[in-house]
Amino acid sequence: MPHTAFLLFSLFYIVAHAEDSTVTEIENAILKQCRSIRQGKLTLEAKISGINNAPVNDRVTTIWFDYDKNKVRSDVVNHWKNRDEPAYRIIQCSNCERPNYWVEYQEKPLTNAVTSITLEPLTDEIRKQRLSEIFDPRMLGIVAAESTVLKNYHFETEVNSSNREKPNLRRDRWKGEDCWVTSFHLNTVSRVFCELWVVPSRGYTVARNIMESHPGGKTYRVAVETEATPVGNSGLWFPHTCVCETTNDGKLIRKEELRVTSISLNEPIEDKVFTLAGMDIASDTPIASKLPSGESHVLTWTGASAIEHVNPVFIPKPTSQASSPSNRNRLLLAAAACAFLATVALAIFFWRRRSKPPTG
């Protein structure tokens, strides 16, 4: 009997650890597929709607990336449906034009201002606060979030996360294909539940990703449904469509429908696309730049190169000699001397009047 109990315990231990091993293998396969994508260019069309399917934004995003060189450029055309403004283009580029610099350019018309190019040193703060249009496209489907907020996450937010409880694993079917389903709770204050549906036959892509929490007793749920297709002769799979739905207590409050219209992966990317010369920016556009020291430096984009800016509107006027500190000090001293001499003259005048003998 003890021998039988030992065998049963051993079998249970082996099965449990085999399941752990399978979860690890599945998640490693997901990350291997994503991280094997090093260069690429893709264009995404997205339609975003809000409560009651009210249109919010139509956007077309083209992304160039070369992670071996740590360069990413995003070129976005926004058409806000709930704003009284025309569609406009935004360019953001990380590690572009100059080493460790970033670029931003908006073609949005401005009132009482001139559209300019931003060219400044790239810092961690800039990455977090300013580069809102740049995200890693390899993250599509890996996290339960729409594309506009993927910049706030990383590969191991859910997959292979060190901040979660022990995952569960089961087999299932997704659109007629075998898949693995992993589920777990993240070790967060609100105990976020995650469920990922992984399809091995499609390059271990995450076909369904669900994240659910219960703030204030309500059920907040984000569900992403992704359908991947093979990309050319690369041997890689990548999402062709990606639908993200956000619900609050079962009510749809936001939806993003994204479609990849063109894509190339692991093919060389011209360095020119990461320079101003490759961004199709109009000539005579001013450049608000900064030197590595932080000092402002104004340039002009000619359409081919950046030159020193010559428009007096953008260059501070030189301080006139009359108002320079040294001349101002000399003027103050001269005024003080004049005032002193005038005071002395008046004192002598009144003293002589008092000392003069009366007449008649």
Side-chain angles (χ1 to χ4, degrees):
M1 189 71 170
H3 181 68
T4 303
F6 175 77
L7 287 176
L8 289 173
F9 174 79
S10 299
L11 180 62
F12 173 79
Y13 180 85
I14 291 170
V15 170
H17 280 264
E19 182 175 293
D20 285 346
S21 176
T22 304
V23 170
T24 300
E25 289 171 1
I26 291 169
E27 294 189 329
N28 285 343
I30 294 170
L31 295 176
K32 181 180 179 181
Q33 151 87 7
C34 292
R35 288 172 173 153
S36 66
I37 301 173
R38 305 307 302 163
Q39 297 90 17
K41 175 190 175 183
L42 62 155
T43 299
L44 317 169
E45 292 183 356
K47 291 183 178 293
I48 300 174
S49 54
I51 297 174
N52 299 323
N53 287 320
V56 175
N57 185 16
D58 287 353
R59 55 194 279 133
V60 178
T61 304
T62 301
I63 301 174
W64 296 260
F65 59 89
D66 189 332
Y67 290 114
D68 290 336
K69 297 179 180 178
N70 198 26
K71 295 175 182 287
V72 185
R73 172 184 158 193
S74 179
D75 203 317
V76 184
V77 177
N78 277 308
H79 187 192
W80 295 97
K81 301 295 186 177
N82 53 359
R83 301 180 188 178
D84 185 19
E85 60 185 28
Y88 62 93
R89 178 184 178 218
I90 301 176
I91 299 173
Q92 288 188 343
C93 198
S94 175
N95 205 21
C96 294
E97 184 62 20
R98 302 173 183 172
N100 299 316
Y101 266 69
W102 70 287
V103 171
E104 182 177 69
Y105 174 69
Q106 294 193 30
E107 290 183 348
K108 181 179 179 180
L110 301 174
T111 303
N112 299 324
V114 176
T115 300
S116 64
I117 302 166
T118 298
L119 176 63
E120 296 181 358
L122 183 63
T123 63
D124 288 339
E125 184 179 358
I126 292 294
R127 286 189 178 94
K128 294 176 183 177
Q129 303 297 331
R130 297 293 300 276
L131 297 179
S132 58
E133 300 295 340
I134 290 181
F135 69 91
D136 188 339
R138 301 174 300 176
M139 291 285 294
L140 287 170
I142 301 297
V143 176
E146 70 175 52
S147 65
T148 56
V149 295
L150 283 178
K151 69 179 290 292
N152 299 320
Y153 300 93
H154 56 83
F155 279 136
E156 297 185 13
T157 298
E158 295 179 34
V159 177
N160 201 29
S161 173
S162 60
N163 185 36
R164 68 180 180 185
E165 297 177 359
K166 183 179 181 296
N168 297 311
L169 181 68
R170 62 181 172 85
R171 290 183 179 273
D172 211 310
R173 302 276 288 175
W174 179 86
K175 294 190 176 183
E177 298 187 50
D178 290 332
C179 68
W180 290 104
V181 181
T182 62
S183 57
F184 48 86
H185 283 90
L186 295 175
N187 291 323
T188 56
V189 176
S190 56
R191 271 181 58 81
V192 176
F193 171 77
C194 300
E195 185 177 84
L196 289 79
W197 296 53
V198 184
V199 185
S201 62
R202 298 197 178 204
Y204 282 87
T205 55
V206 180
R208 181 177 296 152
N209 195 330
I210 298 169
M211 186 180 287
E212 189 174 285
S213 59
H214 301 272
K218 295 184 177 183
T219 301
Y220 183 82
R221 177 186 172 103
V222 181
V224 175
E225 193 85 8
T226 300
E227 187 156 357
T229 55
V231 179
N233 297 319
S234 66
L236 298 167
W237 290 71
F238 197 86
H240 174 65
T241 61
C242 191
V243 178
C244 178
E245 294 186 336
T246 303
T247 58
N248 193 358
D249 262 1
K251 183 178 180 180
L252 183 66
I253 59 174
R254 191 170 172 91
K255 182 177 182 178
E256 180 189 53
E257 300 172 274
L258 185 147
R259 183 168 63 95
V260 177
T261 59
S262 68
I263 183 170
S264 66
L265 297 177
N266 287 352
E267 295 181 11
I269 302 294
E270 283 189 83
D271 282 338
K272 185 178 179 180
V273 302
F274 302 113
T275 67
L276 294 176
M279 296 181 185
D280 192 25
I281 298 175
S283 59
D284 297 327
T285 300
I287 302 174
S289 181
K290 284 187 178 179
L291 301 175
S293 63
E295 181 183 353
S296 295
H297 188 206
V298 183
L299 302 166
T300 294
W301 175 245
T302 67
S305 62
I307 62 172
E308 293 296 325
H309 198 68
V310 294
N311 189 335
V313 172
F314 293 94
I315 297 180
K317 293 182 179 180
T319 307
S320 65
Q321 289 187 349
S323 60
S324 65
S326 58
N327 284 336
R328 188 163 55 247
N329 290 337
R330 283 196 291 269
L331 289 173
L332 289 173
L333 288 173
C338 290
F340 174 77
L341 291 174
T343 304
V344 171
L346 286 173
I348 293 172
F349 173 78
F350 285 113
W351 176 76
R352 291 184 65 183
R353 287 195 63 180
R354 286 196 190 96
S355 61
K356 191 175 182 179
T359 57

